[in-house]
Amino acid sequence: MAAVLAKAFTYAATFGVAGGVFFLRYSHDLLTAADTARIQRILRVWVGVAVLCSAARILVLAGSMQGALAGMFNRPFLQMILRAGEGPATGVRIAGLLAAGYALCSLRRPGLLAMAGAIAAATSFAGVGHPRAAALSVVPMMLESAHLLCVGFWLGALTPLWVMARQPDTARAAATAERFGRMAVFVVAALVAAGGGLMWILIGDAGELLDGAYGRALLTKLALVAGLLGVAAINKLRLTQRLSTHGLRAARSFARSIQFELALGGLILLVTAALTTVWGPAGLE
């Protein structure tokens, strides 16, 4: 349970940083200095949370190998984990997060350092995913990396959008939401395509979705994703358009909808953490 929670929080904070950096990049000209500073403060907190949770996950995994809390500080177990895929992936993630965090100390538009750090952090999870465990070809690894980037772009933008929706100037909130929505159409399409392709490679037979804990958990995740897509569609087709004409009342509705998206996103990340920690496709068991 601790390993699942540590990974879920690592997912959430890392994607929050990556998506926040992307948001500041493509929305910089629509934001005031106060908006940028407010979002950057949140992102810097998430950098710290992601780094701490990544380190905590290493300790928890070591403890699970021994089956006792004392194992968290067992040097041979820690060395074994760090030399395996988890070690390099965690190192890449922390380096990317620190690079992005350093770049976020300026109110300027995020540059190459921040973007490279965000991309490295978001895609670092591919280094310990099921495609790598199965020793599959480079295609599944590329699909998983693309899927992770799209997840970061989408989920990571939700908190900045929520921050903007709570500002008195609803025109800026409408402009940022509209720009995000235009880009999100293509990003979500890529997310679904990459995720669907990866699922087809790992599962192979659709019958496995109904057989075993992994299949049922995956169906749960797909149902949550479908719900998230539905809420996002309402945001884009209805609530975003109302922001520019209905003022603060529309902004409050938009903010509540974003909060619901965040809750669904958190559940999806929790199920994903369980899928990649506790269970695996039949071909990997």
Side-chain angles (χ1 to χ4, degrees):
M1 180 65 71
V4 170
L5 290 175
K7 191 163 190 178
F9 277 106
T10 304
Y11 276 145
T14 302
F15 291 145
V17 173
V21 168
F22 299 153
F23 180 89
L24 291 174
R25 176 75 180 183
Y26 60 73
S27 301
H28 185 74
D29 59 315
L30 302 175
L31 307 176
T32 65
D35 294 331
T36 301
R38 190 174 294 110
I39 293 170
Q40 285 181 337
R41 283 196 296 271
I42 296 173
L43 298 186
R44 287 196 291 269
V45 170
W46 280 351
V47 168
V49 171
V51 170
L52 290 175
C53 287
S54 294
R57 177 169 166 78
I58 297 294
L59 296 176
V60 170
L61 288 175
S64 68
M65 293 176 68
Q66 183 170 321
L69 289 177
M72 295 174 62
F73 307 100
N74 186 300
R75 185 173 178 180
F77 286 160
L78 289 172
Q79 290 177 338
M80 187 183 305
I81 293 171
L82 292 175
R83 289 170 182 170
E86 194 74 42
T90 301
V92 169
R93 185 180 315 123
I94 290 177
L97 289 166
L98 293 178
Y102 175 78
L104 288 171
C105 293
S106 169
L107 290 178
R108 293 177 299 178
R109 183 182 185 185
L112 292 178
L113 178 62
M115 292 295 290
I119 292 171
T123 58
S124 64
F125 298 103
V128 289
H130 288 145
R132 185 183 187 279
L136 297 174
S137 68
V138 69
V139 174
M141 298 287 290
M142 292 178 64
L143 286 174
E144 187 171 14
S145 295
H147 185 71
L148 290 166
L149 281 176
C150 293
V151 171
F153 176 93
W154 184 5
L155 296 185
L158 294 179
T159 297
L161 286 172
W162 179 78
V163 170
M164 295 302 299
R166 291 172 58 83
Q167 303 307 308
D169 188 351
T170 57
R172 288 204 318 278
T176 54
E178 185 176 343
R179 182 172 294 182
F180 167 76
R182 288 198 304 268
M183 301 177 68
V185 170
F186 302 100
V187 171
V188 171
L191 183 152
V192 173
L198 187 60
M199 185 177 69
W200 181 77
I201 291 172
L202 291 176
I203 298 296
D205 183 2
E208 291 187 23
L209 290 175
L210 302 176
D211 183 24
Y214 181 83
R216 289 191 292 270
L218 186 56
L219 283 176
T220 300
K221 176 182 175 179
L222 292 176
L224 291 170
V225 171
L228 187 59
L229 286 171
V231 176
I234 293 173
N235 282 344
K236 176 174 173 56
L237 299 176
R238 183 179 177 185
L239 298 182
T240 298
Q241 295 178 358
R242 295 180 60 193
L243 277 173
S244 57
T245 57
H246 290 70
L248 291 176
R249 182 177 179 181
R252 286 192 291 268
S253 297
F254 184 74
R256 286 194 296 269
S257 181
I258 292 295
Q259 289 174 330
F260 189 55
E261 277 196 76
L262 284 167
L264 284 175
L267 288 175
I268 291 170
L269 295 181
L270 184 61
V271 174
T272 302
L275 279 169
T276 55
T277 302
V278 181
W279 304 298
L284 299 184
E285 294 178 351

